[in-house]
């Protein structure tokens, strides 16, 4: 064996299969502190791809699983979506025809999802079918940005993804176009009921004209939602008074129910943040909204090896920190994780911290005060 190569035992963090691989001595020895990231492609150890972090003593310090990106998947589907858009003029988008392929309640829910910015997952095995072309084009007329954010899965691809990475779908609204079936939505049917006004607008006459009126209505709803984003703790009466004073032309939109819809959009953007589309500032705001003021105490009865058994790198290092420090605030946890990430060239999914810490509490690893 070449003296420039040293065998290192690599264990897949997903399936636990192991294999010794050749690691370059010169490159790894050159790293004085922390660890060197080594890319492990699919087929080298098993079917999964990931990074192994190897220190200068050739010990594996950590692993990082390469997760499927819903944002990348949406981009891959752009050709399918663009093909559907080119057929807009060849299909009938009047509501009578649209409602052949989707119920009024489910269409209202999809419109609500687009408004609060819950990205769509549409299940379809043949996007050339009229059912898909009609539904997608109607929504795209009202919300042009969904052209970039909507995912299209075949039933098989959706089942595979939902089994392996279900948590990444928790912010999305999933509709099975094939079977005209609502699969999942991160809100209740009653939340969308105030948007009956939009449904009535769509049904008033020719869809070409009504789609323009409806999009205009939605754009104002978005504007007013942004106008009140800093008034989340104010009473509804005060919010209505503020909006009526600032815009005299849309008084009919300032009802208690519609203010609730506007507030839900602002709340969703913070508490159900799509990390792939959000800034670090937004993510930090979401974390603090959920966890600010809480103190996390490590339970000394937790087995010392518990952290090492956790497959997720963010979970593992968070529990290690709590074991080391005893008690920590969320600011301290974030600061320490950022230091570790910088020193060891690791990537942590900080947006998962609320979920991770809640899970630790339920399992008895920590207490939350």
């Amino acid at each position: 064996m070449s003296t420039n190569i040293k065998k290192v035992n690599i264990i897949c963090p997903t399936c636990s299969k192991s294999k010794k691989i050749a690691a370059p001595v010169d490159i790894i020895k050159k790293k004085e502190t922390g660890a060197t990231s080594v890319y492990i492609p699919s087929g080298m150890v098993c079917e999964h791809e990931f990074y192994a972090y190897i220190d200068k003593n050739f010990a594996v310090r950590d692993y990082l699983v390469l997760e499927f990106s819903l944002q990348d998947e949406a981009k891959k589907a752009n050709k399918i979506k663009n093909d559907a858009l080119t057929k807009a003029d060849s299909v009938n988008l009047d509501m009578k025809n649209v409602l052949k392929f989707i119920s009024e309640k489910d269409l209202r829910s999809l419109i609500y999802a687009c408004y609060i910015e819950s990205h769509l997952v549409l299940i379809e095995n043949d996007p050339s079918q009229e059912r898909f072309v009609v539904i997608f084009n109607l929504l795209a007329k009202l919300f042009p940005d969904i052209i970039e954010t909507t995912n299209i899965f075949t039933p098989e691809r959706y089942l595979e993804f939902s089994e392996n990475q279900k948590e990444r779908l928790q912010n999305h609204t999933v509709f099975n176009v094939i079977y005209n079936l609502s699969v999942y939505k991160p809100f209740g049917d009653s939340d969308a009921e105030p948007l009956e006004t939009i449904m009535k607008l769509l049904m008033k006459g020719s869809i070409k004209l009504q789609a323009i009126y409806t999009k205009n209505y939605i754009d104002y709803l978005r504007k007013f939602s942004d106008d009140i984003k800093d008034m989340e703790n104010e009473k509804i009466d005060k919010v209505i008074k503020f909006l009526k004073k600032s815009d005299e032309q849309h008084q009919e939109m300032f009802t208690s129910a519609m203010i609730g819809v506007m507030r839900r959009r602002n709340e969703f953007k913070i508490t159900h943040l799509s990390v792939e589309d959000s800034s670090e500032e937004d993510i930090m705001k979401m974390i603090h909204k959920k966890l600010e003021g809480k103190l996390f105490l490590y339970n000394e009865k937790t087995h010392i090896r518990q952290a090492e058994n956790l497959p997720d790198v963010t979970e593992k290092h968070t529990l290690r920190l709590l074991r080391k420090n005893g008690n920590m605030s969320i600011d301290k946890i974030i600061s320490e994780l950022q230091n570790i990430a910088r020193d060891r060239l690791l990537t942590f999914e900080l947006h998962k911290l609320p979920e991770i810490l809640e899970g630790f509490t339920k399992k008895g690893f920590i207490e939350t005060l």
Side-chain angles (χ1 to χ4, degrees), residues 80-118:
I80 296 173
K81 291 180 281 188
N82 286 328
D83 286 346
L85 291 172
T86 62
K87 298 173 183 176
D89 293 333
S90 65
V91 293
N92 181 2
L93 296 182
D94 285 336
M95 289 300 292
K96 186 176 181 180
N97 190 53
V98 173
L99 295 177
K100 291 178 182 178
F101 306 110
I102 185 172
S103 71
E104 187 174 334
K105 181 181 76 172
D106 286 338
L107 178 58
R108 186 175 62 202
S109 289
L110 291 186
I111 290 172
Y112 181 82
C114 293
Y115 173 70
I116 66 171
E117 299 183 24
S118 166

Tab-separated table of all heavy atoms in Angstrom, residues 80-118:
chain	number	residue	atom	x	y	z
A	80	ILE	N	-41.686	20.410	-17.069
A	80	ILE	CA	-43.062	19.896	-16.991
A	80	ILE	C	-44.037	21.049	-16.776
A	80	ILE	O	-45.081	21.133	-17.433
A	80	ILE	CB	-43.187	18.867	-15.845
A	80	ILE	CG1	-42.323	17.642	-16.137
A	80	ILE	CG2	-44.643	18.463	-15.631
A	80	ILE	CD1	-42.255	16.651	-15.000
A	81	LYS	N	-43.674	21.953	-15.879
A	81	LYS	CA	-44.562	23.077	-15.572
A	81	LYS	C	-44.671	24.036	-16.759
A	81	LYS	O	-45.760	24.526	-17.063
A	81	LYS	CB	-44.066	23.787	-14.308
A	81	LYS	CG	-44.245	22.947	-13.038
A	81	LYS	CD	-43.743	23.648	-11.800
A	81	LYS	CE	-42.264	23.574	-11.662
A	81	LYS	NZ	-41.775	24.082	-10.358
A	82	ASN	N	-43.546	24.273	-17.418
A	82	ASN	CA	-43.581	25.165	-18.577
A	82	ASN	C	-44.399	24.566	-19.720
A	82	ASN	O	-45.100	25.280	-20.433
A	82	ASN	CB	-42.159	25.484	-19.041
A	82	ASN	CG	-41.449	26.446	-18.101
A	82	ASN	OD1	-42.088	27.304	-17.489
A	82	ASN	ND2	-40.146	26.314	-17.972
A	83	ASP	N	-44.301	23.252	-19.877
A	83	ASP	CA	-45.118	22.579	-20.895
A	83	ASP	C	-46.606	22.749	-20.584
A	83	ASP	O	-47.419	22.980	-21.490
A	83	ASP	CB	-44.776	21.086	-20.961
A	83	ASP	CG	-43.434	20.824	-21.636
A	83	ASP	OD1	-42.917	21.761	-22.270
A	83	ASP	OD2	-42.923	19.701	-21.518
A	84	ALA	N	-46.948	22.649	-19.297
A	84	ALA	CA	-48.351	22.819	-18.894
A	84	ALA	C	-48.811	24.246	-19.165
A	84	ALA	O	-49.946	24.471	-19.614
A	84	ALA	CB	-48.516	22.472	-17.416
A	85	LEU	N	-47.937	25.217	-18.935
A	85	LEU	CA	-48.299	26.619	-19.146
A	85	LEU	C	-48.551	26.936	-20.615
A	85	LEU	O	-49.396	27.776	-20.937
A	85	LEU	CB	-47.187	27.533	-18.601
A	85	LEU	CG	-47.023	27.562	-17.067
A	85	LEU	CD1	-45.777	28.351	-16.697
A	85	LEU	CD2	-48.246	28.144	-16.398
A	86	THR	N	-47.832	26.258	-21.501
A	86	THR	CA	-48.030	26.520	-22.934
A	86	THR	C	-49.404	26.040	-23.409
A	86	THR	O	-49.860	26.433	-24.493
A	86	THR	CB	-46.943	25.816	-23.777
A	86	THR	OG1	-47.042	24.393	-23.587
A	86	THR	CG2	-45.556	26.297	-23.386
A	87	LYS	N	-50.046	25.208	-22.606
A	87	LYS	CA	-51.365	24.673	-22.982
A	87	LYS	C	-52.516	25.464	-22.367
A	87	LYS	O	-53.673	25.067	-22.486
A	87	LYS	CB	-51.471	23.207	-22.562
A	87	LYS	CG	-50.442	22.309	-23.239
A	87	LYS	CD	-50.478	20.898	-22.666
A	87	LYS	CE	-49.399	20.033	-23.309
A	87	LYS	NZ	-49.333	18.694	-22.708
A	88	ALA	N	-52.195	26.583	-21.724
A	88	ALA	CA	-53.220	27.358	-21.016
A	88	ALA	C	-54.363	27.786	-21.929
A	88	ALA	O	-55.534	27.762	-21.527
A	88	ALA	CB	-52.584	28.578	-20.352
A	89	ASP	N	-54.027	28.175	-23.143
A	89	ASP	CA	-55.064	28.677	-24.059
A	89	ASP	C	-55.871	27.560	-24.719
A	89	ASP	O	-56.890	27.820	-25.351
A	89	ASP	CB	-54.422	29.549	-25.144
A	89	ASP	CG	-53.845	30.834	-24.568
A	89	ASP	OD1	-54.350	31.285	-23.523
A	89	ASP	OD2	-52.876	31.367	-25.158
A	90	SER	N	-55.398	26.324	-24.567
A	90	SER	CA	-56.092	25.205	-25.218
A	90	SER	C	-57.037	24.461	-24.274
A	90	SER	O	-57.699	23.514	-24.681
A	90	SER	CB	-55.064	24.219	-25.792
A	90	SER	OG	-54.312	23.627	-24.745
A	91	VAL	N	-57.074	24.881	-22.997
A	91	VAL	CA	-57.971	24.231	-22.037
A	91	VAL	C	-58.971	25.247	-21.492
A	91	VAL	O	-58.726	26.456	-21.510
A	91	VAL	CB	-57.186	23.591	-20.864
A	91	VAL	CG1	-56.353	22.425	-21.350
A	91	VAL	CG2	-56.319	24.620	-20.142
A	92	ASN	N	-60.061	24.743	-20.994
A	92	ASN	CA	-61.128	25.577	-20.450
A	92	ASN	C	-60.889	25.784	-18.951
A	92	ASN	O	-60.972	24.836	-18.164
A	92	ASN	CB	-62.481	24.892	-20.695
A	92	ASN	CG	-63.647	25.706	-20.176
A	92	ASN	OD1	-63.468	26.814	-19.656
A	92	ASN	ND2	-64.850	25.179	-20.309
A	93	LEU	N	-60.603	27.013	-18.565
A	93	LEU	CA	-60.327	27.321	-17.161
A	93	LEU	C	-61.533	27.909	-16.437
A	93	LEU	O	-61.402	28.353	-15.284
A	93	LEU	CB	-59.144	28.281	-17.053
A	93	LEU	CG	-57.784	27.755	-17.536
A	93	LEU	CD1	-56.701	28.804	-17.330
A	93	LEU	CD2	-57.409	26.467	-16.826
A	94	ASP	N	-62.687	27.929	-17.082
A	94	ASP	CA	-63.894	28.382	-16.376
A	94	ASP	C	-64.172	27.448	-15.214
A	94	ASP	O	-63.904	26.240	-15.291
A	94	ASP	CB	-65.091	28.415	-17.330
A	94	ASP	CG	-65.020	29.605	-18.287
A	94	ASP	OD1	-64.356	30.599	-17.933
A	94	ASP	OD2	-65.612	29.526	-19.384
A	95	MET	N	-64.719	28.001	-14.155
A	95	MET	CA	-64.853	27.246	-12.915
A	95	MET	C	-65.684	25.977	-13.070
A	95	MET	O	-65.437	24.970	-12.400
A	95	MET	CB	-65.435	28.145	-11.825
A	95	MET	CG	-64.469	29.207	-11.349
A	95	MET	SD	-62.946	28.502	-10.652
A	95	MET	CE	-63.605	27.740	-9.187
A	96	LYS	N	-66.670	26.006	-13.933
A	96	LYS	CA	-67.496	24.817	-14.130
A	96	LYS	C	-66.636	23.646	-14.580
A	96	LYS	O	-66.838	22.498	-14.154
A	96	LYS	CB	-68.594	25.100	-15.158
A	96	LYS	CG	-69.593	23.965	-15.320
A	96	LYS	CD	-70.719	24.349	-16.273
A	96	LYS	CE	-71.714	23.205	-16.402
A	96	LYS	NZ	-72.831	23.552	-17.329
A	97	ASN	N	-65.653	23.916	-15.443
A	97	ASN	CA	-64.754	22.858	-15.908
A	97	ASN	C	-63.707	22.516	-14.855
A	97	ASN	O	-63.380	21.342	-14.645
A	97	ASN	CB	-64.065	23.274	-17.209
A	97	ASN	CG	-63.320	22.129	-17.859
A	97	ASN	OD1	-63.899	21.058	-18.097
A	97	ASN	ND2	-62.051	22.323	-18.151
A	98	VAL	N	-63.175	23.534	-14.180
A	98	VAL	CA	-62.162	23.305	-13.141
A	98	VAL	C	-62.697	22.364	-12.064
A	98	VAL	O	-62.004	21.444	-11.601
A	98	VAL	CB	-61.708	24.638	-12.511
A	98	VAL	CG1	-60.793	24.385	-11.312
A	98	VAL	CG2	-60.990	25.506	-13.541
A	99	LEU	N	-63.947	22.569	-11.671
A	99	LEU	CA	-64.524	21.784	-10.580
A	99	LEU	C	-64.862	20.350	-10.973
A	99	LEU	O	-65.341	19.573	-10.145
A	99	LEU	CB	-65.766	22.493	-10.027
A	99	LEU	CG	-65.472	23.843	-9.350
A	99	LEU	CD1	-66.740	24.524	-8.894
A	99	LEU	CD2	-64.495	23.674	-8.185
A	100	LYS	N	-64.574	19.986	-12.214
A	100	LYS	CA	-64.658	18.582	-12.609
A	100	LYS	C	-63.455	17.802	-12.067
A	100	LYS	O	-63.516	16.589	-11.904
A	100	LYS	CB	-64.669	18.451	-14.137
A	100	LYS	CG	-65.919	18.958	-14.823
A	100	LYS	CD	-65.768	18.801	-16.342
A	100	LYS	CE	-66.979	19.342	-17.086
A	100	LYS	NZ	-66.792	19.237	-18.565
A	101	PHE	N	-62.373	18.541	-11.807
A	101	PHE	CA	-61.112	17.895	-11.442
A	101	PHE	C	-60.713	18.121	-9.979
A	101	PHE	O	-59.773	17.488	-9.497
A	101	PHE	CB	-59.992	18.408	-12.345
A	101	PHE	CG	-60.292	18.265	-13.802
A	101	PHE	CD1	-60.537	19.378	-14.598
A	101	PHE	CD2	-60.352	17.009	-14.390
A	101	PHE	CE1	-60.816	19.249	-15.945
A	101	PHE	CE2	-60.640	16.872	-15.751
A	101	PHE	CZ	-60.881	17.982	-16.524
A	102	ILE	N	-61.402	19.018	-9.291
A	102	ILE	CA	-61.080	19.316	-7.899
A	102	ILE	C	-62.325	19.890	-7.233
A	102	ILE	O	-63.077	20.645	-7.853
A	102	ILE	CB	-59.891	20.312	-7.795
A	102	ILE	CG1	-59.473	20.533	-6.346
A	102	ILE	CG2	-60.199	21.632	-8.509
A	102	ILE	CD1	-58.177	21.346	-6.205
A	103	SER	N	-62.538	19.515	-5.966
A	103	SER	CA	-63.712	20.035	-5.267
A	103	SER	C	-63.507	21.506	-4.919
A	103	SER	O	-62.371	21.995	-4.861
A	103	SER	CB	-63.958	19.238	-3.981
A	103	SER	OG	-62.959	19.523	-3.021
A	104	GLU	N	-64.607	22.197	-4.692
A	104	GLU	CA	-64.521	23.612	-4.336
A	104	GLU	C	-63.743	23.795	-3.041
A	104	GLU	O	-62.916	24.713	-2.914
A	104	GLU	CB	-65.935	24.195	-4.192
A	104	GLU	CG	-65.951	25.697	-3.992
A	104	GLU	CD	-67.352	26.275	-3.997
A	104	GLU	OE1	-68.248	25.659	-4.611
A	104	GLU	OE2	-67.546	27.336	-3.386
A	105	LYS	N	-63.964	22.899	-2.082
A	105	LYS	CA	-63.264	23.005	-0.795
A	105	LYS	C	-61.756	22.825	-0.969
A	105	LYS	O	-60.955	23.577	-0.386
A	105	LYS	CB	-63.797	21.944	0.177
A	105	LYS	CG	-63.154	21.997	1.557
A	105	LYS	CD	-63.696	20.916	2.483
A	105	LYS	CE	-63.110	19.568	2.140
A	105	LYS	NZ	-63.469	18.531	3.133
A	106	ASP	N	-61.346	21.847	-1.782
A	106	ASP	CA	-59.916	21.601	-1.977
A	106	ASP	C	-59.260	22.717	-2.792
A	106	ASP	O	-58.104	23.073	-2.541
A	106	ASP	CB	-59.690	20.252	-2.658
A	106	ASP	CG	-59.918	19.078	-1.716
A	106	ASP	OD1	-59.839	19.288	-0.496
A	106	ASP	OD2	-60.180	17.963	-2.199
A	107	LEU	N	-59.988	23.270	-3.762
A	107	LEU	CA	-59.433	24.393	-4.526
A	107	LEU	C	-59.236	25.595	-3.614
A	107	LEU	O	-58.199	26.272	-3.674
A	107	LEU	CB	-60.362	24.757	-5.685
A	107	LEU	CG	-59.915	25.955	-6.532
A	107	LEU	CD1	-58.531	25.729	-7.131
A	107	LEU	CD2	-60.923	26.245	-7.637
A	108	ARG	N	-60.204	25.854	-2.751
A	108	ARG	CA	-60.076	26.958	-1.796
A	108	ARG	C	-58.864	26.740	-0.886
A	108	ARG	O	-58.122	27.682	-0.572
A	108	ARG	CB	-61.359	27.055	-0.964
A	108	ARG	CG	-61.406	28.273	-0.037
A	108	ARG	CD	-62.764	28.340	0.640
A	108	ARG	NE	-62.987	27.159	1.468
A	108	ARG	CZ	-64.189	26.709	1.839
A	108	ARG	NH1	-65.270	27.337	1.432
A	108	ARG	NH2	-64.297	25.633	2.589
A	109	SER	N	-58.634	25.472	-0.495
A	109	SER	CA	-57.479	25.161	0.351
A	109	SER	C	-56.167	25.379	-0.383
A	109	SER	O	-55.191	25.878	0.191
A	109	SER	CB	-57.556	23.707	0.842
A	109	SER	OG	-58.584	23.549	1.786
A	110	LEU	N	-56.106	25.028	-1.673
A	110	LEU	CA	-54.887	25.259	-2.444
A	110	LEU	C	-54.620	26.753	-2.618
A	110	LEU	O	-53.469	27.205	-2.563
A	110	LEU	CB	-54.979	24.585	-3.814
A	110	LEU	CG	-54.961	23.047	-3.842
A	110	LEU	CD1	-54.921	22.545	-5.281
A	110	LEU	CD2	-53.787	22.487	-3.054
A	111	ILE	N	-55.680	27.528	-2.818
A	111	ILE	CA	-55.535	28.989	-2.929
A	111	ILE	C	-55.042	29.560	-1.597
A	111	ILE	O	-54.140	30.414	-1.560
A	111	ILE	CB	-56.873	29.632	-3.350
A	111	ILE	CG1	-57.195	29.262	-4.797
A	111	ILE	CG2	-56.825	31.152	-3.185
A	111	ILE	CD1	-58.573	29.681	-5.262
A	112	TYR	N	-55.606	29.064	-0.512
A	112	TYR	CA	-55.169	29.502	0.819
A	112	TYR	C	-53.697	29.142	1.036
A	112	TYR	O	-52.912	29.955	1.550
A	112	TYR	CB	-56.043	28.840	1.879
A	112	TYR	CG	-55.710	29.221	3.299
A	112	TYR	CD1	-56.187	30.403	3.861
A	112	TYR	CD2	-54.926	28.388	4.095
A	112	TYR	CE1	-55.884	30.748	5.171
A	112	TYR	CE2	-54.617	28.728	5.400
A	112	TYR	CZ	-55.096	29.899	5.932
A	112	TYR	OH	-54.793	30.239	7.236
A	113	ALA	N	-53.313	27.910	0.645
A	113	ALA	CA	-51.921	27.470	0.795
A	113	ALA	C	-50.979	28.388	0.027
A	113	ALA	O	-49.931	28.797	0.548
A	113	ALA	CB	-51.772	26.034	0.303
A	114	CYS	N	-51.344	28.719	-1.204
A	114	CYS	CA	-50.501	29.611	-2.009
A	114	CYS	C	-50.409	30.995	-1.363
A	114	CYS	O	-49.350	31.632	-1.386
A	114	CYS	CB	-51.055	29.731	-3.422
A	114	CYS	SG	-50.965	28.210	-4.382
A	115	TYR	N	-51.516	31.457	-0.775
A	115	TYR	CA	-51.511	32.785	-0.157
A	115	TYR	C	-50.588	32.843	1.057
A	115	TYR	O	-49.816	33.791	1.219
A	115	TYR	CB	-52.928	33.188	0.250
A	115	TYR	CG	-52.953	34.482	1.038
A	115	TYR	CD1	-52.674	35.695	0.430
A	115	TYR	CD2	-53.208	34.478	2.410
A	115	TYR	CE1	-52.645	36.880	1.157
A	115	TYR	CE2	-53.182	35.655	3.147
A	115	TYR	CZ	-52.902	36.846	2.514
A	115	TYR	OH	-52.870	38.009	3.237
A	116	ILE	N	-50.658	31.816	1.928
A	116	ILE	CA	-49.812	31.852	3.130
A	116	ILE	C	-48.393	31.372	2.838
A	116	ILE	O	-47.540	31.364	3.708
A	116	ILE	CB	-50.424	31.041	4.290
A	116	ILE	CG1	-50.469	29.546	3.956
A	116	ILE	CG2	-51.795	31.572	4.674
A	116	ILE	CD1	-50.865	28.671	5.136
A	117	GLU	N	-48.164	30.960	1.586
A	117	GLU	CA	-46.843	30.522	1.107
A	117	GLU	C	-46.439	29.157	1.634
A	117	GLU	O	-45.272	28.900	1.956
A	117	GLU	CB	-45.773	31.586	1.379
A	117	GLU	CG	-46.077	32.890	0.658
A	117	GLU	CD	-45.011	33.952	0.835
A	117	GLU	OE1	-43.854	33.598	1.106
A	117	GLU	OE2	-45.347	35.143	0.694
A	118	SER	N	-47.424	28.260	1.712
A	118	SER	CA	-47.152	26.845	1.910
A	118	SER	C	-46.969	26.256	0.511
A	118	SER	O	-47.914	26.182	-0.267
A	118	SER	CB	-48.326	26.159	2.620
A	118	SER	OG	-48.217	24.755	2.525
